[in-house]
Amino acid sequence: MNYTQFPRRNYLQGPTPIEEMPALSRVLGGEVNLYIKRDDLLPGSAGGNKTRKLEFCIADAMEKGADTIITCGAVQSNHCRLTASWSAKEGLDCHLVLEERVKGSYKKEASGNNFLFELLGVKTIEVVPGGSDMMAEMEKKAQELKAAGRSPYIIPGGASNAIGATGYAVCAEETVNQLNDMRLSIDHIVVPSGSAGTHAGMVVGMTGVNGNIPISGMNVSRPKDVQEEIVHKLAVKTAERLHVKGGVERQDIVCYGDYVGPGYSLPTDAMVEAVKLFANHEAILLDPVYSGKAAAGLIDLVRKGVFPKDSNVLFLHTGGSPALYAYLDTFRK
Ligand SMILES: *Cc1c(COP(=O)(O)O)cnc(C)c1O
C-alpha cells in the first residue's frame, strides 16, 4: 500500500525479526509450529508496539507545528513510556495523564515504566481516578499549556486512532512480505487486543494487501463482544483513511475475552505460566499486562487443539517487558 501521502517519521530501521519457537512448540506438544514477530525489539527505549503508531502520530503533531505532546495511559503504560521516549528524541515536551484504573496502584516511587517516565524527562505527570474522561483531562492540560504559550498536541490513549493504527497496517504488510521472502506459510496470527489500534491496523493491512491470514485478538481488558465492536469501528475508520477497497467486514474481527482474568493489569495464573514458558524455553521476555495474557490465550488454544495439526501460528510480540519489574512479587510467589 502507499503510505507516502501521510506525515511519517522514520522510527523503524527495517522489519522486526520473525523467529521460530521450536522449544516452546515442543513443550506444548509439538503439533503446532509457533513463530513470533519481535515487535518487542522495535526502536524506542525498551521497544514495543507503540513505536509503529507514534511514527505517524508524532509526525502529524510536528506537521501541525506542535512543540508539546500530551498523552494518557495506565500507571505502568508502555505507550506513555514510548511517547516520552520519542518526544525526547524529537525535542518535544511530553506531559502525561495517568489513569489509576486499580485504586491505590499509582506509586510515585514505583519501578518499571513509571521509573522510566521520569528518566525520559516528562514535564508533568497527573494522576486521575479510574473511569475519568481521559480526553477531557488531556484537553484541560492542553488549555493550561496554550495559556502558557505552548502548542500542544493530544495523542489518544494507546495512540489508537486511525493515524496510529496506520502503523499496524504497515506491520501487516511488512509481515506478509517477510513471509513471502522466507517461503513461510502462516495459517493464523495471534495479537494482543487492548486500545485496539494494533489489532485493527493488522486486519486493515492484511485486507489491503490481500494477505488472507486470519487474525485473532486476545483481549486484555474487555469482554469479547465489546472489544470486537471497538476494534471493528477503528478498523473501518483506518480502512477509509488508507482507501482499502471493500473495507473491513465485521466477521474479520475475532476476539477472545477468556484470558482477561479479574481485569486489566491484574495478574492471572495463566499469564504467569505463559511469561515463564516464553522465558524458560525461548529466552523471550513478555509482559504481565498485554503480551503475557495474549500468550496465555495462544497457549490455551494450542493445548485445546483449536489449531489443526502441523499449523504454523505467528504470535505478535508487542513488547512491554519493563512492566515486569513492577510485578516482582507476582513472579516470585
Ligand atoms: C499497548 C500495548 C498493547 C495493546 O495494543 P493496542 O494497540 O492498545 O491494542 C499490547 N502490548 C503492549 C506491550 C502494549 O503496550
Side-chain angles (χ1 to χ4, degrees):
M1 293 197 287
N2 184 356
Y3 304 100
T4 57
Q5 59 192 306
F6 305 115
R8 183 180 182 184
R9 303 297 288 168
N10 222 334
Y11 295 167
L12 300 186
Q13 301 175 17
T16 55
I18 291 178
E19 299 170 357
E20 206 175 349
M21 296 195 286
L24 181 64
S25 303
R26 257 195 316 278
V27 164
L28 296 176
E31 305 247 303
V32 173
N33 306 309
L34 296 174
Y35 294 81
I36 187 163
K37 179 148 175 77
R38 301 291 305 271
D39 271 14
D40 58 316
L41 302 180
L42 280 165
S45 52
N49 63 341
K50 303 310 178 309
T51 287
R52 288 189 190 271
K53 301 166 164 196
L54 292 169
E55 183 175 65
F56 288 97
C57 290
I58 291 186
D60 191 57
M62 291 170 76
E63 192 179 83
K64 294 192 163 99
D67 56 19
T68 300
I69 304 288
I70 303 169
T71 198
C72 68
V75 297
Q76 279 292 336
S77 166
N78 300 298
H79 164 68
C80 286
R81 185 235 314 151
L82 281 165
T83 303
S85 170
W86 290 112
S87 297
K89 189 133 166 113
E90 299 282 16
L92 303 165
D93 282 0
C94 179
H95 296 260
L96 302 178
V97 182
L98 301 182
E99 182 185 6
E100 199 178 33
R101 295 188 192 174
V102 178
K103 218 171 170 213
S105 62
Y106 178 76
K107 294 191 178 57
K108 196 181 170 338
E109 68 287 356
S111 181
N113 285 312
N114 178 75
F115 166 69
L116 299 177
F117 300 158
E118 271 178 51
L119 194 62
L120 291 164
V122 303
K123 294 291 177 205
T124 65
I125 296 177
E126 190 172 340
V127 184
V128 299
S132 299
D133 181 343
M134 297 307 283
M135 197 40 93
E137 296 293 338
M138 290 192 288
E139 296 282 4
K140 228 191 308 175
K141 189 89 213 168
Q143 289 312 323
E144 249 172 61
L145 289 164
K146 270 186 207 160
R150 310 293 301 183
S151 302
Y153 179 97
I154 294 175
I155 296 178
S160 281
N161 52 15
I163 300 174
T166 299
Y168 268 88
V170 171
C171 179
E173 181 163 13
E174 173 185 306
T175 302
V176 169
N177 289 338
Q178 275 174 299
L179 296 175
N180 283 328
D181 288 345
M182 295 165 81
R183 315 289 191 262
L184 174 60
S185 171
I186 288 290
D187 302 294
H188 210 106
I189 296 178
V190 172
V191 306
S193 200
S195 66
T198 301
H199 187 181
M202 284 293 287
V203 172
V204 170
M206 190 59 73
T207 308
V209 301
N210 199 25
N212 289 314
I213 307 174
I215 296 169
S216 292
M218 294 294 170
N219 301 359
V220 298
S221 55
R222 301 186 186 93
K224 174 182 169 69
D225 296 2
V226 178
Q227 183 70 8
E228 284 180 349
E229 282 305 319
I230 291 172
V231 176
H232 184 238
K233 245 194 195 152
L234 180 55
V236 167
K237 279 191 198 143
T238 309
E240 272 168 22
R241 181 169 196 256
L242 297 178
H243 305 291
V244 171
K245 283 207 187 72
V248 170
E249 306 279 354
R250 175 63 182 78
Q251 71 259 23
D252 294 338
I253 308 298
V254 177
C255 287
Y256 288 82
D258 314 325
Y259 308 102
V260 175
Y264 174 80
S265 80
L266 298 172
T268 63
D269 291 345
M271 176 281 288
V272 171
E273 189 207 10
V275 170
K276 288 183 175 171
L277 283 172
F278 273 67
N280 283 326
H281 299 289
E282 298 295 341
I284 291 171
L285 301 180
L286 301 177
D287 84 279
V289 181
Y290 297 95
S291 53
K293 282 187 180 172
L298 169 76
I299 289 167
D300 190 53
L301 297 189
V302 170
R303 284 181 175 149
K304 282 182 176 153
V306 168
F307 304 113
K309 190 168 156 35
D310 299 324
S311 323
N312 295 328
V313 177
L314 178 69
F315 179 70
L316 176 65
H317 187 350
T318 45
S321 67
L324 284 173
Y325 308 105
Y327 283 75
L328 297 183
D329 295 343
T330 302
F331 293 97
R332 281 175 170 158
K333 245 189 343 219

